[in-house]
Each structure stands twice: as C-alpha cells, then as structure tokens.
Amino acid sequence: PVSGPGGAGEYFRSLAVARALERRWPGCSITFIVSRDAPYARDTPYPVRLVDRSPTYETRAVIDTIECERPDVVVFDSSGRVAQYRRAKEHGARVVFVSSRATTRRKGFRLRRMRRMDQHWIAQPRILGGDLGAGERLRLRLVPGCGVEFLEVLHDPVDESGTRALQQRLGVESEGYVLVCPGGGGVFNDRRDATQVFHEASRRLASEAGLPVVAVLGARVVPTEPQPVGVHLLEALPNAQLMGLLRDARVAVVNGGSLLLQALAQHTPCVAAPIAEDQPARIDACARRGYCRATTLDAASLVRGAVDLLENNKERSSLRDRLAALDLRNGVDVAVEAVARLLPAGPRPPAAGRARPDRRRGHRRRQAVREDAGRVA
C-alpha cells in the first residue's frame, strides 16, 4: 500500500484483503511493504519490509523484495512504478493495482501501466463515479489482458462476539452511544491534526449529546487529565470490532476517507469532516445524495452536526433507509475470488540461489498448504 506519515486507508484495505486471503487459504504467505514512517509500520501483523518512503518511491527495495519472495501475486494499492510491475511480471507474478480516487484511477488506466497489469481493482462506490467511462472502456479493449473488478468498500467482516464483549466492557448498548473516529492516519501536509480535533469534539459531545461517546483515536492522543464522564477513549481496535461499533452507533463522527464509505456500508448516520485533500469532494458528493452530513474540521462544527442529527429522529431514520437501499457491498470476497483466478495451478519453485526467508512461525505448515494458495506481496 502507498504509505507514509499521513493516511492509512490503503493499508487497512490491504490488511482486510490479507486477512480474507488467510481465511480462504490458511497458512498462505503474505508480506507487506510499507514506509517506516507510517504510524502502523511496526504493528503490521504480517512479515513486513520497511522502506524509507512510500513504496512507489523505493523501486529498488520493492524489486529486491519481489526477487526474494517470488510471490504469485503482487497487489499495489495506489502505489508502484511501471518498473516494479515489469519486474514482478518478469518473475512470474500477477500484478494487481488498486485505486480509490480519481488521480490514482487515472494512473491505473494509462496504457503503459495497463500492459503490465492483470487486474485493476476499483475500490470506489458506483455512486461516486465507480462506473467505467467511455475512455476507460476503450482502453480495456486495447489491453484485453487487464481486467477490472469493482470492490466498492473494503473492510473486515463484523466480529459479533468481540463487538458485544467490548460494548459490555464499556457499558454501552446498541443505538445508545456516539462513535467518534478520525481514522488511522496521521497529519496531512500542513493540515490540522484531526485526532486532536476529534478528541476535543468527543469531550464536548459527552456533555451536549446526553449519550456516552466512544472515541477511537489511536496512540497520538495522550490525555493529561481524566476524561469527562461518558467518554470512553480507545487507542485502536481491530477493524472487525470497529465495524461492529460503527454499525451499532446511533450517530458516528468520522473522516471523509475510507471510514466514511465503511460507515455508509454499515447504514450508520454520520457526520463527516475532511482531513485530507481528496476528502471534501467525496463528502460533498455523499451529502448531496443525503447519505451523510458534511461539516468542517473543527470541534464546534463536528459537535453541532452530531447533536443536530441526534435530535432529528426523522432525518436519522430516513438516512438509514437511504443507506439500506444503497446497499454498498463489502468487496473483500470479490477481491479474494479475483486473486483465486490469478493463482497458478501449482506452486513455483523459489528463485535459484535464493532461500526463502522463514520469518513466521508455522513455516513447515505452510509447505503443506493447498497448491493454489500462492504467495502475495
């Protein structure tokens, strides 16, 4: 995944796909390549190759990893150079590119890239321009070897038992709390630190909303004083539990990235504020269709939007009905089936003269994995 000090949507999408691949093929070997500056770099639950910048700019390191790992499939989420794709193909790997916004999508439809890609996954709902345009359809005819898959939204399936246990521990009930979460990214360029803004909003909401507030803010918030009564501050959660909390919240306060789309998929009435350059357009498009409330990145606006939505039962009910009719699908299963079509009939031998590193427990067990399980980077 593209990675760095700011943003985490691509990483968490990749993580959801990786977990789904493991559920399909237990013991398959999965490796991540991420920037060492990413806030999640040292918490990745898979073998990881840390690079100095986003993998797009670290072609030598990416190629070295491909040559060492000899993967069957390489997934570039919004990242990569043509030279990286070409080397992956030269080593027998199939190449997948993932886009979720207009700029990366345009890159994925450049003919020079398409000729070295096997699949282009579009992680973007059709309501936000997910359908193919005339120019894109023409390019697909020119490069018939590159397929397109629409994933809409990517997230882990809800962990029902884990969500219930967490709610019991926090003392909250379904439809009886507000969820506040700015996502897992850092600070984007010279923008404000969204985590601090969302933290302040959660403190105010606890007193103004009359409901408990569950704030999932990550590790950057280190409170210097006790939290107000009704504020439950959490550093981080597995995505499967976060999806459960999101689904059961009366209202959610989120950013305008992947988390907004996940909230829509859970049919959750939400207030969304942009924390990165590409997010205002996405929020505005959803708000115009009546799928969320748009606000600005300041605590007062977030609180005002959330309280208004909490007090307007009719609007919340209508919003949930519209989201249920929208019925955004979780594209994780689509991604797994797409990978299954790319895997070889049998495992390829490792590169000559290279020993495959044993960096995870269960190495011997992996040798007995189903032949089509493959390796993914």
Side-chain angles (χ1 to χ4, degrees), residues 101-358:
R101 54 178 67 91
T103 52
T104 51
R105 180 166 169 165
R106 284 195 294 270
K107 290 180 182 178
F109 276 100
R110 290 175 182 167
L111 293 176
R112 186 162 170 259
R113 285 177 179 254
M114 292 177 68
R115 293 189 179 100
R116 293 164 177 84
M117 290 160 45
D118 295 282
Q119 292 179 354
H120 181 169
W121 297 352
I122 299 177
Q124 183 181 25
R126 293 176 185 270
I127 60 163
L128 298 180
D131 280 323
L132 293 173
E136 294 171 338
R137 291 194 294 270
L138 173 61
R139 286 173 172 81
L140 288 172
R141 289 197 293 270
L142 294 173
V143 188
C146 178
V148 169
E149 297 288 342
F150 289 97
L151 308 184
E152 293 201 320
V153 183
L154 285 169
H155 59 82
D156 285 326
V158 171
D159 177 359
E160 297 289 354
S161 61
T163 299
R164 294 289 173 265
L166 179 59
Q167 289 170 339
Q168 290 174 6
R169 179 168 66 84
L170 297 176
V172 299
E173 297 180 350
S174 179
E175 283 281 313
Y177 61 91
V178 178
L179 178 71
V180 175
C181 183
V187 179
F188 292 82
N189 300 329
D190 58 351
R191 288 176 174 262
R192 301 177 66 185
D193 186 344
T195 302
Q196 303 298 331
V197 176
F198 276 63
H199 181 215
E200 178 60 27
S202 67
R203 294 170 60 89
R204 296 190 193 181
L205 269 171
S207 61
E208 297 187 30
L211 287 175
V213 175
V214 179
V216 185
L217 301 179
R220 289 208 316 282
V221 171
V222 181
T224 57
E225 56 188 24
Q227 298 302 300
V229 174
V231 175
H232 303 281
L233 194 62
L234 302 177
E235 280 196 6
L237 286 176
N239 185 253
Q241 289 184 19
L242 179 60
M243 290 301 100
L245 284 183
L246 189 59
R247 180 198 61 191
D248 292 348
R250 188 177 301 184
V251 165
V253 180
V254 299
N255 68 19
S258 299
L259 190 59
L260 170 60
L261 301 182
Q262 292 169 353
L264 304 188
Q266 299 303 326
H267 308 165
T268 304
C270 62
V271 173
I275 67 172
E277 290 82 355
D278 64 304
Q279 295 185 10
R282 182 181 296 115
I283 293 172
D284 289 344
C286 290
R288 285 196 307 271
R289 293 169 172 84
Y291 296 140
C292 74
R293 273 200 174 207
T295 187
T296 55
L297 185 58
D298 64 87
S301 295
L302 291 170
V303 171
R304 184 168 56 253
V307 170
D308 287 349
L309 195 52
L310 286 166
E311 292 177 346
N312 194 328
N313 295 334
K314 184 177 179 180
E315 181 182 357
R316 285 203 322 278
S317 179
S318 297
L319 201 155
R320 283 192 183 274
D321 289 344
R322 285 192 292 273
L323 294 178
L326 178 62
D327 192 27
L328 290 182
R329 67 177 178 180
N330 185 0
V332 163
D333 292 338
V334 178
V336 170
E337 291 304 320
V339 169
R341 294 195 297 273
L342 296 178
L343 291 173
R348 292 181 288 107
R354 292 184 183 272
R356 187 172 174 79
D358 181 12

Side-chain angles (χ1 to χ4, degrees), residues 1-3 8-15 17 54-56 74-80 85 96-101 104 121 123 151 154 258 377:
V2 65
S3 51
E10 293 83 0
Y11 167 73
F12 285 112
R13 278 202 303 264
S14 299
L15 199 57
V17 172
S54 186
T56 297
V74 185
V75 181
F76 295 90
D77 195 323
S78 306
S79 71
Y85 305 167
V96 175
F97 179 75
V98 187
S99 68
S100 61
R101 54 178 67 91
T104 51
W121 297 352
L151 308 184
L154 285 169
S258 299

Side-chain angles (χ1 to χ4, degrees), residues 3-5 33-42 48-55 58:
S3 51
I33 306 175
V34 300
S35 166
R36 67 179 74 254
D37 293 329
Y40 47 77
R42 287 161 181 80
V48 59
R49 172 72 179 270
L50 298 179
V51 292
D52 291 335
R53 298 172 295 173
S54 186
E58 298 292 339

